[in-house]
């Protein structure tokens, strides 16, 4: 029978929670919900192991390392309230310590989008279960209704948000240490994610990791040295660069619904455990390795080349160059940048039955969806090449990104200025948009300052310019303003 109890917090407050007979239990903690389910109270499975170092770690995580609280309120350095509010939606960050009836912590509940509803599956009773990533990236997908699965576009957005969150952790000097399908909940319908289990974050040189990680996401160097004594200098422990391996694995799974290292190759005939240990550790081999194809399943019909050159290069760095050399792995910032640039090349598939619905249209000469082989039906293909002026070399421009243009494509400040990035601080007001009228293409200025026509004339707000093949214009005449080259094929 459920009953209400009270938790006494370190701050002196008292919070009610509902005691149930079988509370959700993880490897380290079990969880009770608030009466209105707006927060959770978590207690450790082995409270006697929660020593002073554990409490000190959580106090630091709640305080000076906290990206969900502004710097003025005691949170992470450089945080204003806008940024703090943004990351409150990206993390379930602890807000207080419980001191009675035993040691624990209080965290916000996951938003309702991260729980399955009653119509999520025709075969399984999933209502109320949290949306761990592996429901969507493994064979479990077949049990879910299609509406739950989202599409390629929403999974690309999920990947971008996760990369941004990990980048913010690393900027604060933290490492998650156990990024995995269990600790990142996703909602593919809306392209959203939230990172949980924050209380075990690693502060390098201050608070060491408490866990090695989760199978399939542990970095090869950590797995292959796990049998060494903890004091052995050759033993590798979770840190920010091991997070980068897990981040790359999760992004690959989101975009391909498969694991990047689990292929058909047998690494040991002695036992399944030894084979698994080697295949994810010392002898790990990317299933899409460009030269060694011994771990590539024959069922692959598309791979990283379908994502465009930016993401293909990042995956090769993560799983070829950096798989056994952690220093070569792409940073979370590089993933965030590559995913944001790839977003501008998304195109809706012409096939209404295409499971992915969207694809990366990076090659205008081959207007075919790589997922279903449907061909685009448009009469013309419009591309913008974005260029920035090389500092100290007036008049010399370098291409840094591309945009695929369709009717009503919006342009934002990160498309008009090379020094603006679409991160949590970015101004999301539309600056201009492209439209097709009577078979001709036009760029309409919404509120962009300093927009110039191909002839160099100012384009006031509310007016536009006609676009034609070979047109070149300044999106902003300010310093770091972008020069746009138009291609219409």
């Amino acid at each position: 029978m459920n009953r209400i109890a009270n938790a006494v917090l370190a701050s002196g407050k008292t919070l009610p929670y509902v005691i149930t007979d079988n509370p959700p239990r993880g490897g380290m903690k079990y969880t009770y919900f608030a009466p209105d389910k707006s927060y959770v109270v978590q207690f450790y499975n082995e409270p006697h192991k929660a020593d002073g170092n554990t409490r000190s770690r959580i106090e630091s995580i709640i305080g000076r390392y906290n990206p969900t609280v502004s710097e003025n309120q005691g949170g992470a350095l450089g945080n204003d309230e806008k940024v703090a509010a943004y990351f409150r939606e990206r993390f379930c960050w602890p807000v207080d310590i419980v001191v009675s009836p035993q040691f624990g912590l209080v965290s916000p509940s996951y938003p309702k989008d991260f729980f399955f509803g009653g119509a999520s599956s025709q075969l399984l009773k999933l209502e109320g279960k949290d949306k761990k990533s592996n429901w969507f990236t493994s064979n479990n997908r077949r049990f879910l209704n299609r509406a739950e699965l989202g599409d390629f576009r929403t999974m690309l957005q999920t990947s971008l948000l996760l990369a941004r969150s990990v980048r913010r952790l690393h900027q604060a000097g933290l490492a998650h240490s156990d990024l995995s399908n269990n600790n990142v909940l996703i909602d593919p319908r809306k392209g959203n994610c939230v990172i949980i289990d924050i209380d075990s974050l690693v502060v390098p040189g201050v608070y060491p990791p408490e866990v090695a990680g989760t199978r399939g996401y542990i970095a090869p160097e950590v797995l292959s040295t796990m049998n060494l004594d903890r004091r052995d200098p050759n033993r590798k422990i979770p840190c920010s660069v091991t997070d980068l391996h897990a981040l790359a694995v999760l992004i690959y799974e989101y975009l391909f619904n498969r694991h990047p290292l689990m292929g058909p190759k047998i690494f040991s005939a002695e036992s399944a455990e030894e084979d698994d240990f080697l295949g994810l550790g010392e002898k790990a081999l990317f299933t899409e390795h460009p030269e060694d194809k011994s771990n590539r399943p024959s069922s692959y019909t598309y791979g990283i080349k379908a994502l465009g050159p930016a993401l293909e290069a990042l995956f090769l760095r993560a799983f070829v160059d950096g798989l056994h050399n952690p220093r070569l792995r792409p940073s979370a910032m590089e993933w965030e940048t590559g995913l944001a640039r790839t977003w501008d090349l998304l195109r809706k598939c012409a096939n209404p039955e295409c499971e992915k619905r969207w694809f990366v249209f990076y090659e205008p000469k081959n207007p075919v969806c790589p997922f279903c082989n449907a061909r685009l039906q448009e009469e013309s293909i419009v591309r913008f090449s974005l260029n920035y002026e090389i500092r100290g070399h007036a008049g010399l421009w370098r291409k840094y990104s591309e945009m695929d243009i369709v009717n009503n494509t919006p342009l934002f400040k990160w498309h008009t200025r090379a020094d603006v990035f679409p991160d949590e601080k970015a101004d999301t007001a539309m600056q201009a948009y492209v439209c097709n009228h009577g078979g001709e293409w036009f760029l309409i200025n919404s509120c962009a300052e300093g927009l110039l026509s191909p002839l160099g004339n100012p384009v006031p707000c509310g007016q536009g310019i006609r676009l034609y093949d070979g047109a070149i214009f300044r999106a902003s005449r300010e310093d770091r303003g972008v020069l746009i080259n138009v291609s219409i094929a």
Side-chain angles (χ1 to χ4, degrees):
M1 178 126 182
N2 297 350
R3 63 185 181 87
I4 302 294
N6 289 309
V8 180
L9 310 183
S11 61
K13 297 179 181 179
T14 300
L15 284 181
Y17 62 95
V18 181
I19 294 181
T20 55
D21 291 335
N22 294 298
R25 189 178 297 269
M28 294 181 64
K29 302 182 296 296
Y30 59 97
T31 301
Y32 294 120
F33 285 87
D36 63 358
K37 295 191 175 183
S38 63
Y39 59 86
V40 296
V41 176
Q42 297 181 302
F43 298 110
Y44 285 83
N45 294 328
E46 298 177 297
H48 60 283
K49 293 186 178 180
D51 55 16
N53 190 58
T54 301
R55 176 162 181 162
S56 178
R57 178 200 301 266
I58 297 175
E59 287 175 344
S60 297
I61 290 170
I62 291 174
R64 65 181 183 273
Y65 294 110
N66 191 341
T68 70
V69 175
S70 68
E71 183 179 354
N72 291 339
Q73 298 297 317
L77 292 176
N79 252 23
D80 59 23
E81 181 51 37
K82 176 184 176 181
V83 171
Y86 179 89
F87 284 111
R88 281 197 287 273
E89 297 182 3
R90 304 275 84 83
F91 298 103
C92 274
W93 206 275
V95 295
D96 213 331
I97 292 174
V98 178
V99 297
S100 178
Q102 65 187 54
F103 183 78
L105 52 90
V106 177
S107 299
S109 292
Y110 316 145
K112 63 180 182 179
D113 288 344
F114 297 105
F115 292 99
F116 284 112
S120 298
S121 173
Q122 300 297 322
L123 300 174
L124 301 177
K125 294 181 179 179
L126 297 179
E127 186 171 10
K129 293 184 180 295
D130 46 14
K131 294 183 177 180
K132 294 181 179 179
S133 300
N134 64 327
W135 278 109
F136 307 95
T137 60
S138 69
N139 286 333
N140 291 330
R141 289 170 56 86
R142 69 186 189 276
F143 298 120
L144 302 177
N145 292 337
R146 179 162 181 178
E148 289 289 338
L149 300 177
D151 53 41
F152 182 82
R153 184 173 185 258
T154 61
M155 294 307 275
L156 188 75
Q157 178 172 296
T158 300
S159 302
L160 174 59
L161 295 180
L162 177 60
R164 183 173 295 157
S165 298
V166 174
R167 183 260 298 164
R168 186 65 186 89
L169 277 182
H170 291 178
Q171 282 181 333
L174 300 170
H176 189 280
S177 81
D178 190 19
L179 275 178
S180 72
N181 59 339
N182 291 324
N183 295 329
V184 181
L185 306 183
I186 66 175
D187 178 21
R189 299 172 307 169
K190 297 182 178 180
N192 206 355
C193 67
V194 63
I195 299 178
I196 64 175
D197 284 355
I198 301 296
D199 55 296
S200 296
L201 292 178
V202 173
V203 184
V206 183
Y207 303 113
E210 293 183 341
V211 294
T214 300
R215 177 187 175 274
Y217 305 90
I218 302 173
E221 68 273 14
V222 174
L223 187 61
S224 60
T225 61
M226 284 180 67
N227 294 331
L228 299 179
D229 187 273
R230 293 185 67 87
R231 294 166 293 183
D232 191 320
N234 293 315
R235 178 165 176 170
K236 306 301 181 184
I237 61 174
C239 59
S240 58
V241 291
T242 65
D243 278 356
L244 297 179
H245 173 76
L247 173 63
V249 171
L250 285 166
I251 293 173
Y252 187 91
E253 288 185 316
Y254 294 166
L255 300 181
F256 291 106
N257 305 327
R258 62 191 187 224
H259 194 280
L261 306 180
M262 296 180 184
K265 186 171 184 176
I266 303 299
F267 296 93
S268 173
E270 296 294 323
S271 68
E273 291 78 11
E274 179 70 9
D275 178 65
D276 193 67
F277 183 77
L278 293 174
L280 293 174
E282 180 183 348
K283 295 185 178 181
L285 176 65
F286 184 30
T287 57
E288 295 192 54
H289 195 289
E291 297 169 0
D292 186 345
K293 300 181 181 180
S294 60
N295 198 32
R296 183 172 301 185
S298 59
S299 59
Y300 282 12
T301 57
Y302 54 83
I304 56 175
K305 285 187 177 297
L307 304 180
L311 292 186
E312 180 187 6
L314 289 172
F315 278 122
L316 289 175
R317 285 177 55 196
F319 297 131
V320 178
D321 304 333
L323 187 59
H324 299 288
N325 190 343
R327 295 180 297 107
L328 299 181
R329 290 171 188 158
S331 67
M333 171 68 84
E334 289 176 291
W335 279 111
E336 185 181 2
T337 300
L339 289 159
R341 299 265 168 83
T342 302
W343 182 269
D344 286 334
L345 294 175
L346 283 176
R347 174 67 75 104
K348 194 166 187 177
C349 181
N351 175 13
E353 300 302 317
C354 179
E355 180 185 358
K356 297 290 187 178
R357 298 192 183 102
W358 296 78
F359 67 98
V360 181
F361 184 31
Y362 67 92
E363 180 49 78
K365 295 180 180 178
N366 185 32
V368 174
C369 171
F371 305 124
C372 72
N373 295 317
R375 196 168 189 85
L376 293 183
Q377 304 300 317
E378 278 79 359
E379 293 182 0
S380 60
I381 295 171
V382 183
R383 307 303 285 261
F384 282 1
S385 294
L386 308 186
N387 304 267
Y388 66 86
E389 191 170 31
I390 300 174
R391 289 188 182 276
H393 299 275
L396 290 180
W397 298 81
R398 178 172 294 163
K399 176 181 171 182
Y400 70 93
S401 191
E402 276 190 311
M403 296 180 67
D404 178 49
I405 302 299
V406 296
N407 193 34
N408 293 324
T409 294
L411 274 69
F412 300 96
K413 276 196 175 179
W414 51 89
H415 298 127
T416 65
R417 294 180 57 91
D419 57 351
V420 176
F421 184 73
D423 59 12
E424 66 277 4
K425 299 178 181 179
D427 180 357
T428 57
M430 185 175 68
Q431 303 296 296
Y433 67 95
V434 180
C435 68
N436 185 292
H437 181 72
E440 292 194 296
W441 293 91
F442 297 88
L443 177 75
I444 308 301
N445 187 2
S446 299
C447 61
E449 295 182 4
L451 176 65
L452 299 177
S453 74
L455 295 177
N457 300 317
V459 181
C461 295
Q463 296 188 24
I465 55 178
R466 187 177 71 84
L467 302 176
Y468 53 90
D469 185 43
I472 301 175
F473 64 93
R474 290 285 297 269
S476 172
R477 61 186 169 192
E478 299 176 33
D479 185 38
R480 306 299 287 166
V482 170
L483 182 74
I484 295 181
N485 289 31
V486 181
S487 170
I488 301 178

